[in-house]
Amino acid sequence: MHGYWGNGFGNMMNFGYENSWWFMVYDGLKFLVIIGAVVIIARLLMNRSSNNRSSQSNHAIDILKERYARGEISEEEYRDKLKKLSE
């Protein structure tokens, strides 16, 4: 069974790539693409969480301004709470 099938199914399943440098380049590129995708996804998730925190902080400051405008809190309380929210 030599010839087309080589030494059996082992060679046929490797498609002749076992000694090819192209196969190593292909594997390296796959690895780089996977690592790059993981890094991009991690950055997107980090940006999303930081945007949520800043929007929550802005919302709290807006509420604080409304409470001060309605006279519910004094100017001293307003400045103290604004300082704490801005940290």
Side-chain angles (χ1 to χ4, degrees), residues 35-55:
I35 294 298
V38 168
V39 168
I40 289 171
I41 290 170
R43 282 190 169 182
L44 289 173
L45 291 174
M46 287 171 54
N47 285 344
R48 180 181 292 176
S49 68
S50 69
N51 287 341
N52 285 343
R53 273 187 254 130
S54 67
S55 68

Side-chain angles (χ1 to χ4, degrees), residues 74-86:
S74 68
E75 183 178 350
E76 183 181 330
E77 283 180 290
Y78 171 75
R79 291 189 189 278
D80 183 49
K81 292 177 189 282
L82 183 62
K83 183 179 176 183
K84 288 180 181 177
L85 287 173
S86 298

Side-chain angles (χ1 to χ4, degrees), residues 2-79:
H2 298 284
Y4 182 74
W5 295 104
N7 293 329
F9 287 105
N11 271 349
M12 188 181 91
M13 297 308 285
N14 289 332
F15 301 107
Y17 289 124
E18 64 270 7
N19 295 322
S20 174
W21 63 275
W22 283 104
F23 188 66
M24 291 186 297
V25 170
Y26 175 71
D27 274 350
L29 289 175
K30 279 194 314 187
F31 179 74
L32 288 176
V33 167
I34 290 170
I35 294 298
V38 168
V39 168
I40 289 171
I41 290 170
R43 282 190 169 182
L44 289 173
L45 291 174
M46 287 171 54
N47 285 344
R48 180 181 292 176
S49 68
S50 69
N51 287 341
N52 285 343
R53 273 187 254 130
S54 67
S55 68
Q56 289 172 350
S57 177
N58 288 340
H59 183 65
I61 290 173
D62 290 339
I63 292 172
L64 183 63
K65 287 178 183 179
E66 288 176 14
R67 289 185 63 201
Y68 177 66
R70 284 184 283 203
E72 293 177 10
I73 57 174
S74 68
E75 183 178 350
E76 183 181 330
E77 283 180 290
Y78 171 75
R79 291 189 189 278

